[in-house]
């Protein structure tokens, strides 16, 4: 997030802390999409993600007078979203502490490719694979790539050792490269079969 | 499998720019020598690109309206804050209460005025000493106020409780330099 965006947020937060609903409304407009996506990626269901986003903003509003402003508003808001999402999925906390071998997670490989493997198609394939990843991987990847948190910040937020966070991110990426490799291989094979016909 | 995993971890760390120069040089050597490693790196870069461009889903159209409706029915929680002026006023009131209790007790029990005055003077000296101690102990006025309040609460308890509980009364009166009736 840019400096200007942060300054605007800080000003809106200052006003909202004193009960200015319009200022908070602007914060909602600015951040609802990201907050909704954070919830949606972890929870997987739009309707549940909507409820969690709504609840997160209401909680943020209620607690705003106590928000000291030494953290970014978005970091604080996403933390509320994470906590509410984890509350909805009580087993996720346990899953985050467990480390399966990637082979155990390879069961769902998704659709096979059609034929040619253009870069945009690869990207499309990978984007289609992301929601199929185990939810604990979706959570850490969202924190890393959407919220741009460091490994250390993720570890602190989820109360996990940093090594565990790194392992989850490594395995998630490995899972995706394996799926991409399989997809490329099967795509190349299909193309070769067609050429032979 | 173990070698492959280590090689992959190194490749990911290489992409994340997290390797020490020595390890980085080894990865570069491996990349120069192995087409398979280069292909693996290529796939990792594609995965990273996909993660960085993970599309955002559009939020439900009525989401902000629902959020704002929720906010209008939820009052903000005002945090509890210690107001030092209130604490100082409380301390003064506590000391006054102590003095009044002592005076009333003496008058009610027919104690001599001189003893009562002496006891009040001791109480005042005690108050002044408490103020000085607090000033010496804390350069911050807010902390001094806090110390004073605590001291006042203790003094109040020490002075008033014995008069409500007669068994402690004699000791309290002698402590203040008077004579128990």
């Amino acid at each position: 997030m840019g400096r200007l965006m942060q300054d605007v947020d800080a000003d809106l937060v200052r006003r909202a802390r004193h009960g200015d609903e319009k200022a908070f409304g602007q914060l909602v407009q600015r951040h609802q999409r990201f907050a909704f996506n954070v919830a949606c990626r972890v929870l997987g269901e739009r309707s549940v993600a909507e409820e969690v986003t709504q609840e997160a903003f209401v909680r943020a509003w209620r607690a705003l007078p106590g928000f000291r402003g030494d953290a970014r508003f978005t970091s604080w808001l996403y933390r509320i979203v994470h906590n509410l999402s984890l509350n909805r999925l009580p087993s996720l906390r346990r899953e985050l502490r467990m480390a399966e071998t990637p082979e155990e997670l390879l069961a769902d490989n998704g659709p096979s490719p059609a034929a040619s493997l253009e870069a945009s198609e690869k990207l499309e394939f990978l984007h289609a694979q992301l929601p199929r990843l185990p939810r604990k991987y979706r959570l850490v990847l969202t924190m890393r790539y959407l919220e741009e948190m460091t490994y250390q910040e993720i570890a602190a937020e989820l109360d996990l050792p940093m090594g565990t966070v790194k392992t989850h991110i490594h395995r998630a990426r490995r899972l995706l490269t394996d799926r991409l490799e399989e997809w490329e291989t099967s795509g190349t094979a299909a193309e070769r079969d067609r050429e032979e016909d | 499998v173990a070698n492959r995993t280590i090689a992959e971890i190194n490749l990911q760390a290489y992409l994340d720019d997290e390797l020490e120069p020595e390890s980085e040089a080894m990865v570069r050597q491996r990349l120069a020598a192995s087409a398979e490693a280069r292909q693996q790196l290529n796939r990792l870069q594609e995965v990273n690109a996909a993660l960085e461009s993970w599309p955002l889903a559009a939020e439900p159209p009525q989401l902000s309206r629902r959020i704002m409706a929720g906010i209008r029915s939820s009052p903000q929680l005002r945090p509890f804050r210690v107001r030092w002026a209130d604490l100082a006023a409380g301390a003064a009131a506590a000391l006054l209460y102590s003095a009044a209790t002592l005076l009333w007790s003496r008058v009610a029990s027919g104690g001599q005025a001189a003893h009562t005055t002496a006891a009040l003077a001791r109480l005042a000296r005690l108050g002044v000493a408490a103020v000085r101690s607090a000033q010496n102990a804390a350069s911050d006025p807010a902390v001094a106020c806090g110390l004073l309040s605590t001291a006042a609460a203790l003094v109040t308890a020490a002075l008033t409780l014995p008069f409500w509980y007669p068994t402690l009364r004699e000791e309290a009166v002698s402590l203040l330099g008077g004579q128990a009736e």
Side-chain angles (χ1 to χ4, degrees), chain A residues 33 37 50 173-174 184, chain B residues 8 16 43 57 59 66:
Chain A
R33 177 163 293 181
N37 273 272
E50 184 180 355
R173 292 197 289 207
R174 157 111 189 255
E184 283 175 335
Chain B
E8 276 178 4
D16 291 343
R43 284 198 189 100
E59 70 278 15
R66 291 199 189 107

Side-chain angles (χ1 to χ4, degrees), chain B residues 121-142:
Chain B
R122 281 173 187 273
L123 188 62
R125 280 200 294 276
L126 193 64
V128 171
V131 171
R132 284 187 182 150
S133 303
Q135 278 177 338
N136 290 337
S139 53
D140 183 354

Side-chain angles (χ1 to χ4, degrees), chain A residues 144 150-155 162 165-166 169 173, chain B residues 16 18:
Chain A
R144 175 82 175 149
T150 62
Y151 290 126
Q152 208 166 4
E153 287 168 336
I154 298 170
M162 197 158 80
V165 173
K166 282 189 172 183
I169 289 177
R173 292 197 289 207
Chain B
D16 291 343
E18 286 186 339

Side-chain angles (χ1 to χ4, degrees), chain B residues 17-102:
Chain B
D17 205 16
E18 286 186 339
L19 287 180
E20 298 293 323
E22 200 176 312
S23 307
E24 194 178 314
M26 285 171 69
V27 170
R28 280 185 198 281
Q29 275 179 5
R30 186 170 157 255
L31 284 170
S34 162
E36 194 190 345
R38 286 195 297 276
Q39 197 176 27
Q40 190 65 18
L41 180 71
N42 198 32
R43 284 198 189 100
L44 272 173
Q45 284 170 328
E46 284 166 343
V47 163
N48 267 3
L51 286 166
E52 277 159 14
S53 62
W54 192 345
L56 287 175
E59 70 278 15
Q62 299 296 317
L63 181 59
S64 61
R65 197 180 57 79
R66 291 199 189 107
I67 291 170
M68 293 313 288
I71 281 161
R72 280 181 203 109
S73 59
S74 305
Q76 286 188 318
L77 302 169
R78 295 285 153 196
F80 174 75
R81 283 210 177 89
V82 175
R83 290 172 56 176
W84 297 108
D86 290 350
L87 276 180
L95 284 170
L96 271 175
Y97 175 71
S98 304
T101 305
L102 186 63

Side-chain angles (χ1 to χ4, degrees), chain A:
Chain A
M1 185 190 282
R3 184 65 191 262
L4 183 65
M5 290 268 285
Q6 280 184 45
D7 288 349
V8 173
D9 273 1
D11 181 52
L12 291 171
V13 165
R14 203 164 30 247
R15 285 162 50 199
R17 280 177 70 183
H18 294 99
D20 186 338
E21 283 183 13
K22 277 189 181 171
F24 194 77
Q26 286 184 54
L27 286 168
V28 171
Q29 289 295 338
R30 288 162 69 83
H31 301 299
Q32 60 174 348
R33 177 163 293 181
F34 263 58
F36 174 72
N37 273 272
V38 170
C40 205
R41 286 180 186 183
V42 181
L43 296 161
E45 278 184 54
R46 282 179 65 88
S47 58
V48 186
E50 184 180 355
E51 282 175 24
V52 163
T53 310
Q54 197 177 329
E55 197 179 339
F57 273 107
V58 171
R59 285 194 184 204
W61 163 255
R62 284 172 62 83
L64 204 54
F67 175 61
R68 299 200 312 186
D70 43 8
R72 283 190 314 193
F73 173 73
T74 47
S75 308
W76 184 61
L77 175 69
Y78 296 157
R79 191 175 306 141
I80 299 173
V81 176
H82 298 149
N83 287 335
L84 290 172
S85 301
L86 287 166
N87 289 348
R88 297 271 177 143
L89 303 169
S91 55
L92 181 54
R93 282 190 198 274
R94 197 177 58 247
E95 286 170 27
L96 279 163
R97 292 180 186 282
M98 286 168 20
E100 301 92 346
T101 57
E103 287 72 18
E104 288 174 64
L105 300 164
L106 283 170
D108 179 12
N109 286 330
S112 282
S116 64
L117 303 176
E118 294 298 323
S120 63
E121 283 178 278
K122 281 186 192 175
L123 201 61
E124 201 177 318
F125 170 78
L126 285 168
H127 284 158
Q129 294 302 307
L130 293 172
R132 296 167 195 267
L133 288 173
R135 55 194 185 184
K136 66 177 178 183
Y137 292 166
R138 296 200 307 263
L139 173 62
V140 289
L141 289 175
T142 298
M143 293 168 98
R144 175 82 175 149
Y145 288 93
L146 183 70
E147 300 169 40
E148 297 176 346
M149 292 169 77
T150 62
Y151 290 126
Q152 208 166 4
E153 287 168 336
I154 298 170
E157 177 104 2
L158 298 175
D159 191 22
L160 291 173
M162 197 158 80
T164 307
V165 173
K166 282 189 172 183
T167 303
H168 286 336
I169 289 177
H170 161 72
R171 287 188 173 165
R173 292 197 289 207
R174 157 111 189 255
L175 211 51
L176 290 168
T177 50
D178 284 349
R179 286 182 185 178
L180 181 63
E181 189 178 348
E182 278 179 33
W183 190 75
E184 283 175 335
T185 311
S186 62
T188 312
E191 205 169 309
R192 198 170 50 238
D193 287 348
R194 223 182 15 258
E195 279 171 8
E196 282 175 7
D197 289 344

